[in-house]
Amino acid sequence: MTLVLIVDDVPAMAEQYAYDLKRLRGYETLVAASGRTALERLTRDAVDCVILDLEMPGMDGFEVLRAVERLGLRVPVIVYTGTGDYDRCAQAIRLGAYGFIDKAEPMERVAQEVENALERRRLTEQVSLLRRGFGVESPLVGNSPALAKLKEAMVRIAPVPSPALIVGESGTGKELVAREMHRLGTNPKGPFIAINSAALPHELVESELFGHERGAFTGASATRKGAFEAASGGTLFLDEIGDLPLAAQAKLLRVLEERKVTRLGGSRTIDVSTRVVAATHRDLEKEVAEGRFREDLYYRLNVHVLPVPPLRDRLSDVPALVEHLLAATCARFGIKPRKLTADGLETLIAYDWRRNNVRELLNIVERMIIATDREELTRNDVPAEIRDHKGTRPRTAHSGPRTFEEQKLEAERQIVVTALERNDWHVTRTAKELGLADHASLLKIMRRLGVQRDT
């Protein structure tokens, strides 16, 4: 539900705007006849956008904009005026207003301006998330059998609106899998909201998920939408779901079943159309058995399960991941692109990445880039703890057993990719090194294994 507040000291004008916005776009609306009333509404109700008259007695629109900034209210404000004084509108923009319109504008344009403001707010939130590190360590780079199996399952499950559970070790890229699920879903332009359950203070979990009314608890000075409302029409990603407190688990189950939320401190139920994708590195069956996770919630989330393979089960993807991470990290640091030599690549492939999977690989790539100014990185640039590492870590329950055929294909693929990298992807030289009859034999093997230059 989108809630728009119209602020105008002429009640008939405000009511007309409210009526037309409801008629044209289906927005819910509130009206305020003064600046002070508007601020009371903004701290009490979860307003998504404000249409603000600049010319009002008492507290005018400029004072309202200053108060919105002072109170830290993150709501887009569109100002309007009937005087035609656009210098004042420009002043309002400098004070933080999203845009301005004239009272003589047709309502279709006003409704479009509101839609644009809402879209800009959504994109700003998405960019904020991306800048906190998402997107660089993409786990979807590569063509190994393990990753191909995951991609196939994602394509099949993404359009289905029922909950999905992503399982895998830390650092495998579970959130990026959830983002890809959202992109492949029925409404990729809808919101994607990510919540890390493990990072939420226990006393604020319910407020973050379901929202709260003004005065619901100490410090709740304004009504706030929760993650379920914010993600309505899109996807809510609940990372580390195994760390959610039991009390919040019970409420989450009810929301999943009824598709309605009740804000903390409120009594009104609000319809939500939110697709929930959860993730965990924990063994939830064990958590259920030990009483730390609700069995009914587990089976509600367990409708579709997506196991994300650890990096050691897709080592043939390491060359593609390294190339991707080198390019992305150099671009982020604003330096010239770097390249890793074949011996350096072999060293990274030989490591089992048991500590933190793709996230650990990203960390190593960054360290290598920072440690030298040379554009070509070699085995000697690989940190000693990786270069001198011996042995591998046993497989975990989350990675799941692989068949003999899958392991055989993965081993073949790793041998071929490593040899190609060593020979700068020169097919004839690589075929000779591998003892094959000719380059045609190698090309045939490459097609069978799905090996191509961009891997």
Side-chain angles (χ1 to χ4, degrees):
M1 178 187 73
T2 298
L3 184 61
V4 181
L5 173 64
I6 300 103
V7 188
D8 199 313
D9 62 311
V10 181
M13 176 69 75
E15 293 292 348
Q16 185 62 50
Y17 267 63
Y19 171 80
D20 286 333
L21 288 173
K22 176 76 172 178
R23 174 178 58 85
L24 291 171
R25 296 296 174 107
Y27 298 145
E28 295 296 320
T29 56
L30 295 170
V31 298
S34 69
R36 295 198 181 279
T37 304
L39 290 177
E40 290 174 6
R41 291 283 197 181
L42 283 169
T43 55
R44 188 180 67 198
D45 299 294
V47 174
D48 296 294
C49 186
V50 179
I51 297 178
L52 175 66
D53 185 14
L54 286 177
E55 320 297 337
M56 293 186 294
M59 177 182 278
D60 64 10
F62 296 104
E63 291 185 62
V64 172
L65 284 169
R66 293 187 186 98
V68 165
E69 176 67 23
R70 188 170 60 252
L71 293 170
L73 300 174
R74 297 172 60 188
V75 57
V77 179
I78 300 169
V79 298
Y80 69 176
T81 178
T83 66
D85 189 344
Y86 295 112
D87 287 338
R88 288 173 64 78
C89 290
Q91 181 185 349
I93 298 294
R94 289 193 291 272
L95 288 174
Y98 163 76
F100 65 87
I101 52 178
D102 192 284
K103 288 186 178 182
E105 297 275 7
M107 278 307 301
E108 288 77 7
R109 181 176 183 277
V110 176
Q112 186 59 52
E113 281 295 306
V114 172
E115 190 69 26
N116 292 344
L118 294 170
E119 177 67 8
R120 180 180 177 183
R121 180 188 186 185
R122 185 184 71 80
L123 291 174
T124 299
E125 291 172 349
Q126 295 282 356
V127 169
S128 177
L129 288 174
L130 289 169
R131 284 176 176 169
R132 290 207 295 268
F134 303 129
V136 175
E137 55 197 80
S138 172
L140 305 181
V141 175
N143 292 294
S144 64
L147 191 60
K149 188 175 181 180
L150 172 63
K151 290 178 179 179
E152 181 184 347
M154 290 169 59
V155 171
R156 187 174 65 255
I157 295 170
V160 182
S162 50
L165 180 63
I166 303 171
V167 296
E169 298 173 11
S170 294
T172 51
K174 296 185 290 294
E175 177 165 346
L176 289 162
V177 173
R179 289 180 176 276
E180 185 69 1
M181 288 277 287
H182 176 70
R183 188 187 70 83
L184 296 170
T186 56
N187 187 23
K189 292 186 177 180
F192 179 94
I193 304 295
I195 296 288
N196 187 335
S197 306
L200 295 176
H202 280 205
E203 63 274 14
L204 295 179
V205 169
E206 293 184 25
S207 170
E208 288 292 327
L209 291 180
F210 314 119
H212 64 254
E213 299 289 346
R214 182 185 183 187
F217 52 85
T218 303
S221 58
T223 295
R224 185 176 183 276
K225 288 184 177 181
F228 267 94
E229 281 186 81
S232 190
T235 302
L236 173 60
F237 174 59
L238 297 176
D239 198 7
E240 300 302 348
I241 189 74
D243 291 288
L244 203 63
L246 285 168
Q249 291 178 29
K251 289 193 174 182
L252 173 59
L253 176 64
R254 187 167 67 249
V255 173
L256 289 175
E257 291 177 341
E258 298 177 359
R259 303 178 71 82
K260 297 176 185 292
V261 296
T262 302
R263 293 177 189 152
L264 199 63
S267 56
R268 181 171 61 97
T269 59
I270 302 165
D271 293 331
V272 290
S273 57
T274 306
R275 199 268 177 90
V276 172
V277 177
T280 182
H281 73 283
R282 297 181 183 275
D283 183 343
L284 287 188
E285 288 189 1
K286 182 180 179 182
E287 296 294 301
V288 169
E290 296 179 358
R292 291 190 293 267
F293 200 83
R294 291 180 63 103
E295 185 176 22
D296 47 7
L297 177 58
Y298 171 63
Y299 286 113
R300 189 71 183 88
L301 292 170
N302 202 29
V303 179
H304 306 287
V305 180
L306 289 164
V308 183
L311 187 53
R312 63 182 170 277
D313 282 357
R314 41 180 291 228
L315 289 174
S316 62
D317 290 335
V318 169
L321 276 165
V322 169
E323 183 179 350
H324 169 78
L325 294 175
L326 281 171
T329 305
C330 288
R332 185 155 52 93
F333 290 171
I335 60 179
K336 289 182 179 180
R338 303 288 175 87
K339 182 180 179 181
L340 183 62
T341 60
D343 63 339
L345 196 57
E346 285 183 23
T347 303
L348 296 182
I349 293 173
Y351 184 64
D352 67 1
W353 304 104
R354 69 193 186 282
R355 293 175 183 170
N356 216 348
N357 291 285
V358 180
R359 193 175 293 132
E360 185 182 4
L361 178 60
L362 170 61
N363 176 277
I364 295 302
V365 168
E366 287 191 3
R367 288 169 60 186
M368 292 168 66
I369 290 172
I370 293 169
T372 179
D373 293 328
R374 287 182 286 102
E375 292 184 18
E376 186 174 73
L377 305 174
T378 70
R379 184 180 188 277
N380 292 332
D381 295 308
V382 178
E385 69 268 23
I386 305 294
R387 191 173 62 238
D388 302 333
H389 173 75
K390 302 295 183 183
T392 59
R393 184 184 180 187
R395 298 171 56 81
T396 68
H398 278 322
S399 64
R402 290 186 298 169
T403 65
F404 173 75
E405 186 61 30
E406 286 176 328
Q407 294 181 63
K408 179 183 174 184
L409 286 172
E410 182 72 13
E412 284 186 77
R413 182 182 173 82
Q414 183 176 328
I415 291 168
V416 170
V417 170
T418 303
L420 284 164
E421 289 287 345
R422 189 162 48 242
N423 289 282
D424 293 324
W425 288 82
H426 192 289
V427 176
T428 302
R429 285 204 306 266
T430 304
K432 185 177 180 180
E433 178 184 312
L434 293 174
L436 299 174
D438 51 29
H439 74 280
S441 300
L442 178 56
L443 289 173
K444 184 177 179 180
I445 293 172
M446 289 171 65
R447 282 195 294 271
R448 177 170 61 83
L449 298 174
V451 174
Q452 50 189 350
R453 179 66 180 89
D454 62 0
T455 64

PDB file of all heavy atoms in Angstrom, residues 68-99:
ATOM      1  N   VAL A  68      11.671  18.247   8.232  1.00  0.00           N
ATOM      2  CA  VAL A  68      11.807  16.883   7.707  1.00  0.00           C
ATOM      3  C   VAL A  68      13.277  16.469   7.713  1.00  0.00           C
ATOM      4  O   VAL A  68      13.630  15.355   8.112  1.00  0.00           O
ATOM      5  CB  VAL A  68      11.217  16.781   6.283  1.00  0.00           C
ATOM      6  CG1 VAL A  68      11.667  15.496   5.595  1.00  0.00           C
ATOM      7  CG2 VAL A  68       9.689  16.843   6.335  1.00  0.00           C
ATOM      8  N   GLU A  69      14.163  17.387   7.295  1.00  0.00           N
ATOM      9  CA  GLU A  69      15.597  17.110   7.291  1.00  0.00           C
ATOM     10  C   GLU A  69      16.117  16.949   8.715  1.00  0.00           C
ATOM     11  O   GLU A  69      16.893  16.035   9.005  1.00  0.00           O
ATOM     12  CB  GLU A  69      16.328  18.258   6.579  1.00  0.00           C
ATOM     13  CG  GLU A  69      17.854  18.143   6.585  1.00  0.00           C
ATOM     14  CD  GLU A  69      18.357  16.980   5.754  1.00  0.00           C
ATOM     15  OE1 GLU A  69      17.619  16.538   4.855  1.00  0.00           O
ATOM     16  OE2 GLU A  69      19.487  16.529   6.011  1.00  0.00           O
ATOM     17  N   ARG A  70      15.666  17.832   9.616  1.00  0.00           N
ATOM     18  CA  ARG A  70      16.140  17.805  11.003  1.00  0.00           C
ATOM     19  C   ARG A  70      15.718  16.521  11.714  1.00  0.00           C
ATOM     20  O   ARG A  70      16.462  15.964  12.526  1.00  0.00           O
ATOM     21  CB  ARG A  70      15.583  19.027  11.744  1.00  0.00           C
ATOM     22  CG  ARG A  70      16.159  19.229  13.143  1.00  0.00           C
ATOM     23  CD  ARG A  70      15.760  20.576  13.717  1.00  0.00           C
ATOM     24  NE  ARG A  70      14.322  20.725  13.831  1.00  0.00           N
ATOM     25  CZ  ARG A  70      13.574  21.511  13.068  1.00  0.00           C
ATOM     26  NH1 ARG A  70      14.145  22.233  12.100  1.00  0.00           N
ATOM     27  NH2 ARG A  70      12.270  21.601  13.248  1.00  0.00           N
ATOM     28  N   LEU A  71      14.518  16.034  11.419  1.00  0.00           N
ATOM     29  CA  LEU A  71      13.999  14.840  12.055  1.00  0.00           C
ATOM     30  C   LEU A  71      14.512  13.553  11.406  1.00  0.00           C
ATOM     31  O   LEU A  71      14.252  12.459  11.898  1.00  0.00           O
ATOM     32  CB  LEU A  71      12.459  14.842  12.016  1.00  0.00           C
ATOM     33  CG  LEU A  71      11.770  15.928  12.856  1.00  0.00           C
ATOM     34  CD1 LEU A  71      10.277  15.985  12.534  1.00  0.00           C
ATOM     35  CD2 LEU A  71      11.982  15.655  14.346  1.00  0.00           C
ATOM     36  N   GLY A  72      15.217  13.681  10.288  1.00  0.00           N
ATOM     37  CA  GLY A  72      15.764  12.510   9.613  1.00  0.00           C
ATOM     38  C   GLY A  72      14.697  11.647   8.945  1.00  0.00           C
ATOM     39  O   GLY A  72      14.871  10.438   8.817  1.00  0.00           O
ATOM     40  N   LEU A  73      13.608  12.271   8.491  1.00  0.00           N
ATOM     41  CA  LEU A  73      12.519  11.527   7.848  1.00  0.00           C
ATOM     42  C   LEU A  73      12.872  11.320   6.377  1.00  0.00           C
ATOM     43  O   LEU A  73      12.985  12.280   5.616  1.00  0.00           O
ATOM     44  CB  LEU A  73      11.195  12.289   7.974  1.00  0.00           C
ATOM     45  CG  LEU A  73      10.731  12.563   9.412  1.00  0.00           C
ATOM     46  CD1 LEU A  73       9.496  13.451   9.415  1.00  0.00           C
ATOM     47  CD2 LEU A  73      10.447  11.254  10.133  1.00  0.00           C
ATOM     48  N   ARG A  74      13.055  10.078   5.994  1.00  0.00           N
ATOM     49  CA  ARG A  74      13.482   9.765   4.624  1.00  0.00           C
ATOM     50  C   ARG A  74      12.255   9.555   3.746  1.00  0.00           C
ATOM     51  O   ARG A  74      11.878   8.438   3.417  1.00  0.00           O
ATOM     52  CB  ARG A  74      14.376   8.547   4.628  1.00  0.00           C
ATOM     53  CG  ARG A  74      15.662   8.749   5.410  1.00  0.00           C
ATOM     54  CD  ARG A  74      16.446   7.470   5.552  1.00  0.00           C
ATOM     55  NE  ARG A  74      16.806   6.925   4.246  1.00  0.00           N
ATOM     56  CZ  ARG A  74      17.355   5.742   4.082  1.00  0.00           C
ATOM     57  NH1 ARG A  74      17.572   4.962   5.127  1.00  0.00           N
ATOM     58  NH2 ARG A  74      17.665   5.311   2.882  1.00  0.00           N
ATOM     59  N   VAL A  75      11.624  10.653   3.364  1.00  0.00           N
ATOM     60  CA  VAL A  75      10.418  10.583   2.540  1.00  0.00           C
ATOM     61  C   VAL A  75      10.544  11.604   1.414  1.00  0.00           C
ATOM     62  O   VAL A  75      10.919  12.759   1.650  1.00  0.00           O
ATOM     63  CB  VAL A  75       9.156  10.842   3.402  1.00  0.00           C
ATOM     64  CG1 VAL A  75       9.243  12.173   4.109  1.00  0.00           C
ATOM     65  CG2 VAL A  75       7.887  10.756   2.556  1.00  0.00           C
ATOM     66  N   PRO A  76      10.287  11.223   0.159  1.00  0.00           N
ATOM     67  CA  PRO A  76      10.372  12.198  -0.939  1.00  0.00           C
ATOM     68  C   PRO A  76       9.255  13.230  -0.853  1.00  0.00           C
ATOM     69  O   PRO A  76       8.101  12.889  -0.574  1.00  0.00           O
ATOM     70  CB  PRO A  76      10.231  11.329  -2.195  1.00  0.00           C
ATOM     71  CG  PRO A  76       9.571  10.077  -1.740  1.00  0.00           C
ATOM     72  CD  PRO A  76       9.966   9.864  -0.315  1.00  0.00           C
ATOM     73  N   VAL A  77       9.611  14.488  -1.083  1.00  0.00           N
ATOM     74  CA  VAL A  77       8.653  15.594  -1.003  1.00  0.00           C
ATOM     75  C   VAL A  77       8.589  16.296  -2.354  1.00  0.00           C
ATOM     76  O   VAL A  77       9.623  16.712  -2.889  1.00  0.00           O
ATOM     77  CB  VAL A  77       9.048  16.603   0.094  1.00  0.00           C
ATOM     78  CG1 VAL A  77       8.043  17.750   0.144  1.00  0.00           C
ATOM     79  CG2 VAL A  77       9.152  15.921   1.452  1.00  0.00           C
ATOM     80  N   ILE A  78       7.380  16.424  -2.888  1.00  0.00           N
ATOM     81  CA  ILE A  78       7.139  17.187  -4.115  1.00  0.00           C
ATOM     82  C   ILE A  78       6.431  18.474  -3.713  1.00  0.00           C
ATOM     83  O   ILE A  78       5.371  18.434  -3.079  1.00  0.00           O
ATOM     84  CB  ILE A  78       6.273  16.398  -5.108  1.00  0.00           C
ATOM     85  CG1 ILE A  78       6.965  15.085  -5.495  1.00  0.00           C
ATOM     86  CG2 ILE A  78       5.978  17.226  -6.358  1.00  0.00           C
ATOM     87  CD1 ILE A  78       6.068  14.128  -6.255  1.00  0.00           C
ATOM     88  N   VAL A  79       7.028  19.626  -4.042  1.00  0.00           N
ATOM     89  CA  VAL A  79       6.402  20.899  -3.671  1.00  0.00           C
ATOM     90  C   VAL A  79       5.585  21.429  -4.843  1.00  0.00           C
ATOM     91  O   VAL A  79       5.884  21.137  -6.006  1.00  0.00           O
ATOM     92  CB  VAL A  79       7.451  21.941  -3.238  1.00  0.00           C
ATOM     93  CG1 VAL A  79       8.201  21.454  -2.007  1.00  0.00           C
ATOM     94  CG2 VAL A  79       8.444  22.235  -4.367  1.00  0.00           C
ATOM     95  N   TYR A  80       4.537  22.172  -4.505  1.00  0.00           N
ATOM     96  CA  TYR A  80       3.788  22.819  -5.574  1.00  0.00           C
ATOM     97  C   TYR A  80       3.420  24.236  -5.159  1.00  0.00           C
ATOM     98  O   TYR A  80       3.430  24.594  -3.983  1.00  0.00           O
ATOM     99  CB  TYR A  80       2.594  21.999  -6.014  1.00  0.00           C
ATOM    100  CG  TYR A  80       1.421  21.828  -5.087  1.00  0.00           C
ATOM    101  CD1 TYR A  80       0.289  21.155  -5.525  1.00  0.00           C
ATOM    102  CD2 TYR A  80       1.396  22.320  -3.784  1.00  0.00           C
ATOM    103  CE1 TYR A  80      -0.813  20.967  -4.700  1.00  0.00           C
ATOM    104  CE2 TYR A  80       0.300  22.138  -2.964  1.00  0.00           C
ATOM    105  CZ  TYR A  80      -0.799  21.462  -3.430  1.00  0.00           C
ATOM    106  OH  TYR A  80      -1.897  21.287  -2.622  1.00  0.00           O
ATOM    107  N   THR A  81       3.166  25.044  -6.164  1.00  0.00           N
ATOM    108  CA  THR A  81       2.869  26.450  -5.917  1.00  0.00           C
ATOM    109  C   THR A  81       1.879  26.946  -6.952  1.00  0.00           C
ATOM    110  O   THR A  81       1.844  26.454  -8.085  1.00  0.00           O
ATOM    111  CB  THR A  81       4.159  27.292  -5.970  1.00  0.00           C
ATOM    112  OG1 THR A  81       3.830  28.663  -5.760  1.00  0.00           O
ATOM    113  CG2 THR A  81       4.850  27.163  -7.314  1.00  0.00           C
ATOM    114  N   GLY A  82       1.084  27.915  -6.547  1.00  0.00           N
ATOM    115  CA  GLY A  82       0.139  28.537  -7.477  1.00  0.00           C
ATOM    116  C   GLY A  82       0.561  29.932  -7.865  1.00  0.00           C
ATOM    117  O   GLY A  82      -0.148  30.630  -8.594  1.00  0.00           O
ATOM    118  N   THR A  83       1.728  30.381  -7.391  1.00  0.00           N
ATOM    119  CA  THR A  83       2.172  31.748  -7.662  1.00  0.00           C
ATOM    120  C   THR A  83       3.023  31.855  -8.916  1.00  0.00           C
ATOM    121  O   THR A  83       3.244  32.955  -9.416  1.00  0.00           O
ATOM    122  CB  THR A  83       2.994  32.278  -6.470  1.00  0.00           C
ATOM    123  OG1 THR A  83       4.212  31.525  -6.371  1.00  0.00           O
ATOM    124  CG2 THR A  83       2.214  32.150  -5.161  1.00  0.00           C
ATOM    125  N   GLY A  84       3.537  30.739  -9.401  1.00  0.00           N
ATOM    126  CA  GLY A  84       4.413  30.776 -10.567  1.00  0.00           C
ATOM    127  C   GLY A  84       5.818  31.254 -10.255  1.00  0.00           C
ATOM    128  O   GLY A  84       6.604  31.526 -11.160  1.00  0.00           O
ATOM    129  N   ASP A  85       6.162  31.338  -8.970  1.00  0.00           N
ATOM    130  CA  ASP A  85       7.495  31.786  -8.558  1.00  0.00           C
ATOM    131  C   ASP A  85       8.421  30.569  -8.501  1.00  0.00           C
ATOM    132  O   ASP A  85       8.557  29.914  -7.470  1.00  0.00           O
ATOM    133  CB  ASP A  85       7.415  32.465  -7.187  1.00  0.00           C
ATOM    134  CG  ASP A  85       8.734  33.135  -6.803  1.00  0.00           C
ATOM    135  OD1 ASP A  85       9.752  32.807  -7.444  1.00  0.00           O
ATOM    136  OD2 ASP A  85       8.737  33.957  -5.872  1.00  0.00           O
ATOM    137  N   TYR A  86       9.088  30.302  -9.607  1.00  0.00           N
ATOM    138  CA  TYR A  86       9.907  29.099  -9.690  1.00  0.00           C
ATOM    139  C   TYR A  86      11.250  29.253  -8.987  1.00  0.00           C
ATOM    140  O   TYR A  86      11.925  28.268  -8.732  1.00  0.00           O
ATOM    141  CB  TYR A  86      10.078  28.674 -11.142  1.00  0.00           C
ATOM    142  CG  TYR A  86       8.765  28.262 -11.757  1.00  0.00           C
ATOM    143  CD1 TYR A  86       8.163  29.010 -12.756  1.00  0.00           C
ATOM    144  CD2 TYR A  86       8.106  27.127 -11.281  1.00  0.00           C
ATOM    145  CE1 TYR A  86       6.949  28.632 -13.292  1.00  0.00           C
ATOM    146  CE2 TYR A  86       6.879  26.744 -11.818  1.00  0.00           C
ATOM    147  CZ  TYR A  86       6.302  27.502 -12.817  1.00  0.00           C
ATOM    148  OH  TYR A  86       5.083  27.135 -13.336  1.00  0.00           O
ATOM    149  N   ASP A  87      11.647  30.500  -8.662  1.00  0.00           N
ATOM    150  CA  ASP A  87      12.854  30.681  -7.859  1.00  0.00           C
ATOM    151  C   ASP A  87      12.644  30.080  -6.475  1.00  0.00           C
ATOM    152  O   ASP A  87      13.560  29.492  -5.887  1.00  0.00           O
ATOM    153  CB  ASP A  87      13.192  32.164  -7.731  1.00  0.00           C
ATOM    154  CG  ASP A  87      13.735  32.748  -9.031  1.00  0.00           C
ATOM    155  OD1 ASP A  87      14.230  31.945  -9.854  1.00  0.00           O
ATOM    156  OD2 ASP A  87      13.664  33.968  -9.217  1.00  0.00           O
ATOM    157  N   ARG A  88      11.433  30.233  -5.955  1.00  0.00           N
ATOM    158  CA  ARG A  88      11.131  29.653  -4.647  1.00  0.00           C
ATOM    159  C   ARG A  88      11.114  28.116  -4.730  1.00  0.00           C
ATOM    160  O   ARG A  88      11.506  27.426  -3.794  1.00  0.00           O
ATOM    161  CB  ARG A  88       9.794  30.192  -4.131  1.00  0.00           C
ATOM    162  CG  ARG A  88       9.885  31.654  -3.706  1.00  0.00           C
ATOM    163  CD  ARG A  88       8.531  32.250  -3.362  1.00  0.00           C
ATOM    164  NE  ARG A  88       7.892  31.621  -2.203  1.00  0.00           N
ATOM    165  CZ  ARG A  88       8.220  31.865  -0.927  1.00  0.00           C
ATOM    166  NH1 ARG A  88       9.207  32.705  -0.660  1.00  0.00           N
ATOM    167  NH2 ARG A  88       7.583  31.278   0.062  1.00  0.00           N
ATOM    168  N   CYS A  89      10.647  27.598  -5.856  1.00  0.00           N
ATOM    169  CA  CYS A  89      10.668  26.150  -6.049  1.00  0.00           C
ATOM    170  C   CYS A  89      12.106  25.631  -6.075  1.00  0.00           C
ATOM    171  O   CYS A  89      12.416  24.580  -5.492  1.00  0.00           O
ATOM    172  CB  CYS A  89       9.957  25.780  -7.345  1.00  0.00           C
ATOM    173  SG  CYS A  89       8.163  26.027  -7.293  1.00  0.00           S
ATOM    174  N   ALA A  90      12.969  26.385  -6.749  1.00  0.00           N
ATOM    175  CA  ALA A  90      14.382  25.994  -6.798  1.00  0.00           C
ATOM    176  C   ALA A  90      14.992  26.013  -5.403  1.00  0.00           C
ATOM    177  O   ALA A  90      15.810  25.147  -5.047  1.00  0.00           O
ATOM    178  CB  ALA A  90      15.155  26.927  -7.730  1.00  0.00           C
ATOM    179  N   GLN A  91      14.583  26.990  -4.597  1.00  0.00           N
ATOM    180  CA  GLN A  91      15.056  27.050  -3.214  1.00  0.00           C
ATOM    181  C   GLN A  91      14.606  25.808  -2.440  1.00  0.00           C
ATOM    182  O   GLN A  91      15.357  25.240  -1.634  1.00  0.00           O
ATOM    183  CB  GLN A  91      14.525  28.318  -2.539  1.00  0.00           C
ATOM    184  CG  GLN A  91      14.993  28.484  -1.101  1.00  0.00           C
ATOM    185  CD  GLN A  91      14.354  29.689  -0.420  1.00  0.00           C
ATOM    186  OE1 GLN A  91      13.720  30.529  -1.070  1.00  0.00           O
ATOM    187  NE2 GLN A  91      14.495  29.775   0.896  1.00  0.00           N
ATOM    188  N   ALA A  92      13.373  25.361  -2.704  1.00  0.00           N
ATOM    189  CA  ALA A  92      12.848  24.162  -2.039  1.00  0.00           C
ATOM    190  C   ALA A  92      13.652  22.923  -2.436  1.00  0.00           C
ATOM    191  O   ALA A  92      13.906  22.042  -1.600  1.00  0.00           O
ATOM    192  CB  ALA A  92      11.376  23.970  -2.388  1.00  0.00           C
ATOM    193  N   ILE A  93      14.067  22.855  -3.702  1.00  0.00           N
ATOM    194  CA  ILE A  93      14.898  21.730  -4.156  1.00  0.00           C
ATOM    195  C   ILE A  93      16.203  21.703  -3.375  1.00  0.00           C
ATOM    196  O   ILE A  93      16.675  20.644  -2.954  1.00  0.00           O
ATOM    197  CB  ILE A  93      15.176  21.837  -5.672  1.00  0.00           C
ATOM    198  CG1 ILE A  93      13.873  21.767  -6.483  1.00  0.00           C
ATOM    199  CG2 ILE A  93      16.156  20.752  -6.107  1.00  0.00           C
ATOM    200  CD1 ILE A  93      13.174  20.445  -6.403  1.00  0.00           C
ATOM    201  N   ARG A  94      16.799  22.897  -3.158  1.00  0.00           N
ATOM    202  CA  ARG A  94      18.052  22.967  -2.410  1.00  0.00           C
ATOM    203  C   ARG A  94      17.860  22.516  -0.962  1.00  0.00           C
ATOM    204  O   ARG A  94      18.803  22.053  -0.313  1.00  0.00           O
ATOM    205  CB  ARG A  94      18.619  24.390  -2.456  1.00  0.00           C
ATOM    206  CG  ARG A  94      19.170  24.789  -3.823  1.00  0.00           C
ATOM    207  CD  ARG A  94      19.987  26.053  -3.754  1.00  0.00           C
ATOM    208  NE  ARG A  94      19.157  27.226  -3.481  1.00  0.00           N
ATOM    209  CZ  ARG A  94      18.558  27.963  -4.427  1.00  0.00           C
ATOM    210  NH1 ARG A  94      18.713  27.634  -5.714  1.00  0.00           N
ATOM    211  NH2 ARG A  94      17.831  29.010  -4.110  1.00  0.00           N
ATOM    212  N   LEU A  95      16.647  22.636  -0.461  1.00  0.00           N
ATOM    213  CA  LEU A  95      16.354  22.215   0.914  1.00  0.00           C
ATOM    214  C   LEU A  95      16.004  20.727   0.997  1.00  0.00           C
ATOM    215  O   LEU A  95      15.711  20.225   2.082  1.00  0.00           O
ATOM    216  CB  LEU A  95      15.202  23.048   1.486  1.00  0.00           C
ATOM    217  CG  LEU A  95      15.530  24.506   1.834  1.00  0.00           C
ATOM    218  CD1 LEU A  95      14.269  25.256   2.248  1.00  0.00           C
ATOM    219  CD2 LEU A  95      16.574  24.560   2.953  1.00  0.00           C
ATOM    220  N   GLY A  96      16.012  20.046  -0.156  1.00  0.00           N
ATOM    221  CA  GLY A  96      15.814  18.601  -0.113  1.00  0.00           C
ATOM    222  C   GLY A  96      14.582  18.084  -0.810  1.00  0.00           C
ATOM    223  O   GLY A  96      14.347  16.866  -0.824  1.00  0.00           O
ATOM    224  N   ALA A  97      13.757  18.961  -1.398  1.00  0.00           N
ATOM    225  CA  ALA A  97      12.572  18.497  -2.117  1.00  0.00           C
ATOM    226  C   ALA A  97      12.980  17.695  -3.352  1.00  0.00           C
ATOM    227  O   ALA A  97      14.001  17.988  -3.986  1.00  0.00           O
ATOM    228  CB  ALA A  97      11.695  19.679  -2.533  1.00  0.00           C
ATOM    229  N   TYR A  98      12.185  16.682  -3.687  1.00  0.00           N
ATOM    230  CA  TYR A  98      12.489  15.846  -4.850  1.00  0.00           C
ATOM    231  C   TYR A  98      12.242  16.613  -6.149  1.00  0.00           C
ATOM    232  O   TYR A  98      13.008  16.524  -7.103  1.00  0.00           O
ATOM    233  CB  TYR A  98      11.635  14.588  -4.829  1.00  0.00           C
ATOM    234  CG  TYR A  98      11.575  13.873  -6.155  1.00  0.00           C
ATOM    235  CD1 TYR A  98      12.648  13.116  -6.601  1.00  0.00           C
ATOM    236  CD2 TYR A  98      10.453  13.997  -6.989  1.00  0.00           C
ATOM    237  CE1 TYR A  98      12.620  12.487  -7.828  1.00  0.00           C
ATOM    238  CE2 TYR A  98      10.416  13.370  -8.219  1.00  0.00           C
ATOM    239  CZ  TYR A  98      11.499  12.615  -8.634  1.00  0.00           C
ATOM    240  OH  TYR A  98      11.454  12.003  -9.859  1.00  0.00           O
ATOM    241  N   GLY A  99      11.141  17.378  -6.220  1.00  0.00           N
ATOM    242  CA  GLY A  99      10.785  18.090  -7.446  1.00  0.00           C
ATOM    243  C   GLY A  99       9.673  19.082  -7.169  1.00  0.00           C
ATOM    244  O   GLY A  99       9.225  19.241  -6.032  1.00  0.00           O
TER     245      GLY A  99
END
